[in-house]
Amino acid sequence: MADQLRAVLFDMDDTLIDWSGVQVDWTQIDRSYLPNVIDWLQQEGIASSISLDKLGTAFSSRHRAAWQEAGKTLVAPHMPQTLIHALAALGVDCTVIDEADLIAAYDWRGVPGCRVFPDVPPALEILTNAGILLGIVTNASQPMFMRDAELVQHGLLAHFPVCRIAAVDTGRIKPHPHIFESALAKLGTEPAETVFVGDNFHADIEGALGVGMRAMHRDNSGPCLRIEDNWAQLHTLQDLPTILDAWYPGWRNGTG
């Protein structure tokens, strides 16, 4: 492994943003935004009457099926296209729908109950002050420009100016190497110069190790700290600098 640290990549959900306070499931989350779509279709004269229950069922069932298939193929689900397919199944003429306009009408703003883990801002500040490049790689079916709304809401966007990638933007979900390689290309760093931090051992840790990065597993189940040669386990990002000290002595002043 290289002696110099240049970048740290983070998973987003349950790594930076805590979902433990969310009280609804994805079917309810999906359905909460669909009235926006129905109103827009009516205003544009594309569809005069659509049942929320029917659209909710058509959309959620397709969304779930896409994720089940992704678990086998690692092909990323595409939320905007899934919504268009659901509308088409209800008889809507989707040839007159511009995907960008549809997603603007959907108006994704995140999920009530989510919050930033309190250990995140201090850790990001330490890394930024040391000149370390930061990035996000999330297994999301929403394009990253949609997830950016959450980063703005939580005050995190400014920490990630160069590299923010959703799975749908690359066509593959973690642990497929393509999504990690896309992030490395955006950052302009080599795998040995880059560390990945995530909460899913298979998708995040094994995926990052597979392309030659070191990786930290955020275990949200309870206190822990374990440091191996190329991966580590931690419960709080307060321990992130300690792990980097072990792997890259001198990283705090740009010499390691």
Side-chain angles (χ1 to χ4, degrees):
M1 305 292 285
D3 293 329
Q4 187 172 9
L5 173 69
R6 293 187 57 208
V8 177
L9 288 165
F10 291 89
D11 169 57
M12 187 168 168
D13 300 309
D14 285 323
T15 298
L16 298 175
I17 297 176
D18 181 5
W19 279 65
S20 64
V22 175
Q23 302 297 317
V24 294
D25 62 23
W26 267 106
T27 297
Q28 294 168 293
I29 294 169
D30 285 340
R31 187 162 298 201
S32 68
Y33 285 95
L34 294 181
N36 298 338
V37 172
I38 293 172
D39 289 345
W40 176 76
L41 291 170
Q42 292 173 341
Q43 291 167 9
E44 295 296 311
I46 297 172
S48 59
S49 62
I50 297 178
S51 163
L52 176 59
D53 285 341
K54 289 183 179 179
L55 180 56
T57 298
F59 180 45
S60 294
S61 63
R62 284 165 172 77
H63 210 177
R64 285 195 303 270
W67 275 110
Q68 289 170 355
E69 185 65 17
K72 304 172 187 175
T73 65
L74 301 186
V75 174
H78 194 297
M79 173 266 169
Q81 292 181 4
T82 301
L83 179 53
I84 288 174
H85 293 159
L87 289 168
L90 298 181
V92 176
D93 179 7
C94 293
T95 63
V96 299
I97 294 177
D98 180 86
E99 183 179 298
D101 291 340
L102 176 66
I103 296 310
Y106 186 85
D107 196 24
W108 172 258
R109 296 177 181 269
V111 179
C114 286
R115 67 183 185 100
V116 177
F117 284 106
D119 56 12
V120 167
L124 298 182
E125 195 70 23
I126 291 171
L127 293 169
T128 299
N129 289 341
I132 305 302
L133 300 172
L134 303 180
I136 288 176
V137 180
T138 175
N139 266 0
S141 61
Q142 301 104 325
M144 197 66 219
F145 71 83
M146 294 179 68
R147 300 303 307 270
D148 281 350
E150 296 163 73
L151 297 178
V152 171
Q153 175 186 346
H154 295 302
L156 296 178
L157 185 64
H159 288 287
F160 304 96
V162 176
C163 178
R164 303 185 309 279
I165 295 177
V168 66
D169 298 325
T170 69
R172 296 293 183 271
I173 65 170
K174 298 175 288 185
H176 196 284
H178 179 61
I179 189 170
F180 295 100
E181 290 164 353
S182 297
L184 292 169
K186 275 185 172 289
L187 291 170
T189 61
E190 297 297 324
E193 303 170 323
T194 311
V195 170
F196 195 92
V197 184
D199 70 296
N200 186 300
F201 196 89
H202 174 58
D204 297 323
I205 309 312
E206 292 180 350
L209 294 175
V211 298
M213 285 190 270
R214 280 182 165 122
M216 298 186 198
H217 177 219
R218 177 168 193 145
D219 186 343
N220 292 314
S221 64
C224 59
L225 180 60
R226 174 182 176 182
I227 307 174
E228 302 292 342
D229 180 59
N230 63 348
W231 77 279
Q233 187 177 42
L234 73 169
H235 176 64
T236 170
L237 295 189
Q238 292 176 353
D239 291 328
L240 184 149
T242 300
I243 297 170
L244 294 180
D245 287 340
W247 286 344
Y248 301 94
W251 71 272
R252 295 174 190 256
N253 57 21
T255 62

